[in-house]
Amino acid sequence: MEENVDDCSPSRPLAVVAFRGTNHPIVPYAGGYSPVVSGMPITFLGAQATFEKWADLDGCSGAAVDQGEGCKTYQNCQDGVTVSPCTKTGGGHEYGNAAFAWPILKQHTLP
């Protein structure tokens, strides 16, 4: 969220895999204000800006590689993590695809 993006400073690189629909009813894909919490301003960065931020936080270099089925992966990140945004055009609140996410996430153990 724009309101706290500058406060985000993980102590180590984190693998990120997320799934987003372009027509999500609460979290705008392109970013912007959301009335999800009454009386509390929430302004989402948007899917692309969020993943560019994670790529920056994780020290990724180079462009994202197309993985097919709406997924891309930022590789060449610190400590071998990857950042993968997956988009479903026309989708709303989307379930994750475990067949895509689990092979990535199981490579990383918690400290």
Side-chain angles (χ1 to χ4, degrees), residues 13 54-65 67 73-83:
W54 274 113
D56 180 55
L57 289 168
D58 284 345
C60 303
S61 62
V65 176
Q67 303 293 319
T73 299
Y74 289 100
Q75 301 172 328
N76 303 317
C77 306
Q78 292 176 356
D79 294 347
V81 302
T82 57
V83 177

Side-chain angles (χ1 to χ4, degrees), residues 4-5 39 56 64 86 102:
N4 63 8
V5 70
D56 180 55
C86 298
W102 182 239

Side-chain angles (χ1 to χ4, degrees), residues 23-24 29 31 35 43-44 46 48 53 63 69 71 79 86 101 104 111:
N23 291 333
H24 195 286
Y29 186 83
T43 310
F44 290 100
Q48 188 60 39
K53 180 64 177 177
E69 297 190 35
C71 298
D79 294 347
C86 298
I104 294 168

Side-chain angles (χ1 to χ4, degrees), residues 24-42:
H24 195 286
I26 297 172
V27 181
Y29 186 83
Y33 175 77
S34 176
V36 67
V37 179
S38 179
M40 182 176 154
I42 296 178

